[in-house]
Structures are given as structure tokens and as C-alpha cells.
DNA sequence: GGTCAACTATGACTATAGTCATAGTTTGGT
DNA sequence: ACCAAACTATGACTATAGTCATAGTTGACC
């Protein structure tokens, strides 16, 4: 690795590390880029060489976190269990991950909602976690239809959207609540309902 | 009405009117508060006497729009039709309203997501359209359970959340799409699925 | 119609994200 | 070792949302 590459990684890590501490201490909104760069010992402009906006740094935190959770999720997808259980387990993994850092989750869901709109990014570049979840659920449902685990008459894309929506709104409700609600429980029950249907 | 009250209303309307034109012309982000106040013939500080933030003005646009759509929705709720149809019609009303001003919808959904998180506002003050929809759907479902239109075994709150989630994510997908998708169609089909269930 | 309290308007000021021309550093080729 | 090109850092500068002390206006009461 060249000197240049080493320095780049070092600087990026320094920003990541310093801002992580600051965000934890004072919150994202109350931390200025000036402050981050001062503590990291770099010039303000340098920050923007690494992250195009302050929000991009937030998304980077999100990516790091997602790497971890998707390792777990990958495991789940391998298991030989009914589709419903598989989807539930995955959503529970995600929920647990959200539950262990509510503040970050709160900030990220806003960024992801923002992201989803600026359709600038195609399917693959888009690091958006909602989008990623949606694709994964889609794949599992297709598998489920193949296994006769899920009605073959359904529009798989549509159901994937329903499930993503359930995840998103449950997340929002949980964020709004002051900790009385368990995100993972509530989502699990909702998936049961979707599979059973609510009509008489 | 006192002179003071008249002037206040006049000024607020002036801001509303001028900013409406500017937002249409150049978009929300590209319109500055400075510009709005100059065209409205008031000082910058005055703007913030009427709207605490630039985003609050956006929410005001949202409220005005919502007043209109909720008139239609109220009509629907009166009708003597199956619960499923009622909920579908309401969601279609909302979708139509969104479809007739995509840009505003895009901006509002972000603000509403933001709003939902800052749990500062209680159920009643909160003008948030997601929250409002959620409450309405909840009421209709209860009615539906009473009418034996909906399984009595369901947790009504949970199903209301599912439906709100379906609405929200469908909205996001529609916003992301470049007009190929009909928001109202897609949501209607999703409600059918939820009533029927997707399990074999 | 004078006076004071309550309300409202004002615009200079602050805070902060993000830009950009310039200066400095690293690299690969000779 | 030297040079040019490519890359990276820098911090003064800009743009803009939002604040706040001050000045101006309105209304109610005498």
C-alpha cells in the first residue's frame, strides 16, 4: 500500500473515531464540522474531501453498522426453515441492531428516507438499508413461492414492499415511543398477521 | 376583527402566496427566506414571527392541502360499505392527493418522518399526516371488527400500523419511481393482499 | 386624547455547512 | 536525483437559516 493510500485511510479513520466520540457526547446536530476537524487535527476543507456532506458521515456510520448486522442476516438466510420464520428472523436481527443504538437509528432513518427519494442512485450503488432489505425480502419470497411456502398467486414485489413498509413504520413508531415498546416483538407479530390475513 | 389581527392574517397570506409561487418556480431548496421576504415586502425577521423555521412553512402548505383531502375522506368514512373498501378508498383519496403534487409530497414526507420522531407533540396537537391516517384507520378497523368485517382476533392497533406502513412505503416507492407507477393502484392491491393473507 | 403595556417589525448579527483557488505532497517515469 | 502530473490539504470565503436587541405600532383604560 502506497504512502498516499495509508494516509487517506488514517485520516478517514481519524475523522470517524473523533466524530463518533463527539456524536455520542453531544449528539449529531450539536457537533459541528469545525469541531470534528479541530479535534482530528485537520483543516475543515479536508473533511469534505472524505465526506461530501456532514450527513454522508452519518451514512458511513450506518454502513459500518449494517456490515455487522448483515453478517448475522446472511446466516439466517442459509437456514432451512419456513419462509415466514426466515423473514421474521431477519427483521428481528435488524430490529435488534436498531435497538442497540436508538439515536443513530433515528438519524439514519431520516437520511435513508431522503436517499430513497433522490433516485439518483441505481439499485446497486444505493447503500440504502430500506432498499437492501426490500431486495432481500423479495428474494426470500421468491424462494418461498418456489417452496410452496407462500401463495403462488401473490405479486412478490408487492409483498416485499408491504413487508418493507411494515418494517419502516414499526421503526418509526418504536422511535417515537419512549422505550415501552419492543421493536422486534411488534414486528414479529405483524408478519404473522400478514401471512394469515386479516379478513374474515 | 382588530386591525392587528387583520394585518397578521394579511402578512401570513402574503408569505404563503409569494412562497408558493417561488417554490413552484425554483423549488423549495433553491428559494431562500431572504427572497421570500423581499418579494413579500417584509423584513427577514418578520418571516420567523410567522413560521419558526423554513420547514414550518412547508408544513403549513401540507396542512392546507390536507384540509382539502380530509373533506373527501370524511365523506368516504360515512358510506355504508365494507371496511376493506372503505380503507382502500381512503388510501386512494390520499394517494390521488399526493399524485397531484409530487414535489410537495416529496418534501412533506421527509418533514413528517422527522416530526414523528420528535415525540414532543402529543396525539392531538400533532398535525402529522401519517399519525392522522393511522388514527383514522384504527377507528375504521374497530368499526370493522364490530361489523364482523374484520377478524375479531386481530390487534387493531397493530393492523393500523401495518396499513400506515404500507401507505408510507408505497409513497416512497412511488416518489422514487419516475411516474411509471400509479400510487393509488399499487396501494389498493396491497390492501387486498393484507386482507387475504399471503400464507398457503 | 394621553399613556402605558402588549404586541409586532426590523435588519444587523451569529452560527455553520459547504466551496474553491492556492499551496503542498506523492508518485512514476527518465 | 529530478520533473511533471496527479493527488490532497488548506483556510479564507460564501451562502443562508435563524436570533435578538431595539424601534415602532396597536389597543385598552383613564
Amino acid at each position: 500500500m502506497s504512502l498516499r493510500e495509508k494516509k487517506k485511510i488514517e485520516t478517514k479513520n481519524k475523522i470517524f473515531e473523533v466524530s463518533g466520540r463527539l456524536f455520542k457526547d453531544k449528539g449529531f446536530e450539536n457537533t459541528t464540522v469545525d469541531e470534528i476537524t479541530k479535534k482530528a487535527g485537520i483543516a475543515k476543507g479536508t473533511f469534505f474531501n472524505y465526506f461530501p456532506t456532514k450527513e454522508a458521515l452519518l451514512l458511513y456510520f450506518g454502513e459500518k453498522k449494517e456490515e455487522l448486522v448483515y453478517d448475522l442476516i446472511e446466516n439466517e438466510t442459509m437456514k432451512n426453515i419456513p419462509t415466514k420464520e426466515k423473514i421474521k428472523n431477519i427483521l428481528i436481527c435488524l430490529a435488534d441492531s436498531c435497538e442497540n443504538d436508538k439515536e443513530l437509528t433515528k438519524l439514519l432513518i431520516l437520511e435513508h428516507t431522503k436517499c430513497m427519494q433522490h433516485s439518483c442512485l441505481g439499485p446497486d450503488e444505493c447503500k440504502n438499508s430500506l432498499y437492501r432489505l426490500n431486495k432481500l425480502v423479495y428474494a426470500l419470497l421468491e424462494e418461498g413461492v418456489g417452496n410452496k411456502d407462500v401463495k403462488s398467486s401473490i405479486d412478490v414485489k408487492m409483498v416485499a414492499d408491504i413487508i418493507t413498509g411494515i418494517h419502516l413504520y414499526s421503526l418509526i413508531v418504536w422511535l417515537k415511543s419512549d422505550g415501552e415498546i419492543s421493536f422486534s416483538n411488534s414486528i414479529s407479530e405483524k408478519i404473522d398477521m400478514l401471512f394469515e390475513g386479516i379478513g374474515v
Side-chain angles (χ1 to χ4, degrees), chain A:
Chain A
M1 186 186 299
S2 72
L3 174 58
R4 209 171 251 174
E5 276 171 308
K6 250 184 283 181
K7 277 190 173 178
K8 260 186 97 165
I9 290 171
E10 218 171 278
T11 305
K12 190 163 188 175
N13 284 343
K14 188 81 194 175
I15 294 173
F16 185 61
E17 190 186 293
V18 164
S19 61
R21 252 181 295 133
L22 286 170
F23 291 166
K24 270 238 177 327
D25 283 358
K26 347 179 12 183
F28 177 75
E29 304 287 350
N30 299 318
T31 304
T32 65
V33 174
D34 247 317
E35 215 174 344
I36 294 170
T37 53
K38 283 222 174 79
K39 293 228 166 158
I42 57 173
K44 189 173 179 185
T46 304
F47 177 93
F48 294 99
N49 289 339
Y50 289 86
F51 301 97
T53 64
K54 194 182 160 192
E55 276 71 33
L57 174 54
L58 204 57
L59 290 172
Y60 185 67
F61 274 89
E63 276 174 47
K64 289 286 167 191
K65 195 176 176 183
E66 210 168 301
E67 275 174 23
L68 299 176
V69 70
Y70 267 88
D71 282 347
L72 297 177
I73 284 177
E74 206 133 311
N75 267 336
E76 288 300 321
T77 60
M78 302 301 189
K79 291 186 184 164
N80 195 6
I81 53 178
T83 303
K84 188 174 93 172
E85 298 310 315
K86 222 182 244 188
I87 290 177
K88 269 166 70 167
N89 287 347
I90 284 165
L91 291 173
I92 289 169
C93 277
L94 268 180
D96 286 342
S97 162
C98 291
E99 280 185 306
N100 94 52
D101 191 346
K102 195 164 178 173
E103 270 316 296
L104 180 57
T105 304
K106 194 175 273 197
L107 294 164
L108 281 173
I109 195 64
L110 258 180
E111 289 312 310
H112 287 157
T113 309
K114 220 177 277 180
C115 230
M116 281 304 262
Q117 296 181 7
H118 305 313
S119 52
C120 37
L121 294 172
D124 291 325
E125 313 99 82
C126 188
K127 292 278 183 185
N128 188 306
S129 80
L130 283 179
Y131 203 83
R132 187 167 180 184
L133 173 63
N134 190 257
K135 282 195 295 185
L136 177 54
V137 170
Y138 181 91
L140 294 175
L141 285 169
E142 288 229 298
E143 196 187 283
V145 170
N147 296 344
K148 313 236 182 283
D149 235 6
V150 178
K151 276 181 192 167
S152 64
S153 61
I154 65 163
D155 177 337
V156 175
K157 162 132 194 37
M158 211 161 247
V159 176
D161 284 354
I162 291 177
I163 292 174
T164 312
I166 290 176
H167 167 78
L168 175 57
Y169 192 72
S170 301
L171 183 50
I172 289 175
V173 169
W174 169 71
L175 286 172
K176 197 177 164 66
S177 82
D178 290 319
E180 322 88 78
I181 301 174
S182 155
F183 181 17
S184 46
N185 284 353
S186 82
I187 205 145
S188 181
E189 293 178 50
K190 284 173 192 162
I191 298 304
D192 286 335
M193 273 187 196
L194 176 60
F195 271 77
E196 286 159 25
I198 64 166
V200 286

